[in-house]
Amino acid sequence: DYADKVDFFTNGEVDRAWILRDENTYHNSHQIYEERILGDITVKPALQGAGYELAYDLRVQALNVGTRKTVGGVFAVRMVIAHTAEGLRIVLQRSEKKP
């Protein structure tokens, strides 16, 4: 779903291999992991170039079975999806934890 290069959270521009390693590390650190979209997903034309900007709230809950420690919260997620030679791909992804 990602473009060759993505402006990824606070990591700057990274490639798909970097994202895969990051996602594997994050998800494998917890044996029980759940993400749930809350409410509606808003879609509007992207400000820069052809594509779309999406925004939604995401509830994340993760449990480390060994330590019984739970982490998570609700995050405001923002993505920009652009037309590429491979079709629509994510070119920017951000999230901010909500109070």
Side-chain angles (χ1 to χ4, degrees), residues 6-59:
V6 178
D7 187 350
F8 194 68
F9 296 95
T10 59
N11 302 294
E13 194 170 272
V14 299
D15 63 18
R16 289 179 187 157
W18 192 97
I19 293 169
L20 179 60
R21 285 190 306 274
D22 183 66
E23 290 285 320
N24 283 335
T25 299
Y26 183 74
H27 290 278
N28 289 334
S29 66
H30 299 88
Q31 289 81 16
I32 299 174
Y33 188 87
E34 179 183 283
E35 293 181 338
R36 182 177 305 150
I37 293 174
L38 304 174
D40 295 329
I41 299 172
T42 61
V43 180
K44 63 183 180 180
L47 296 177
Q48 305 123 353
Y52 307 94
E53 184 171 329
L54 286 75
Y56 56 91
D57 287 345
L58 183 70
R59 177 179 303 283

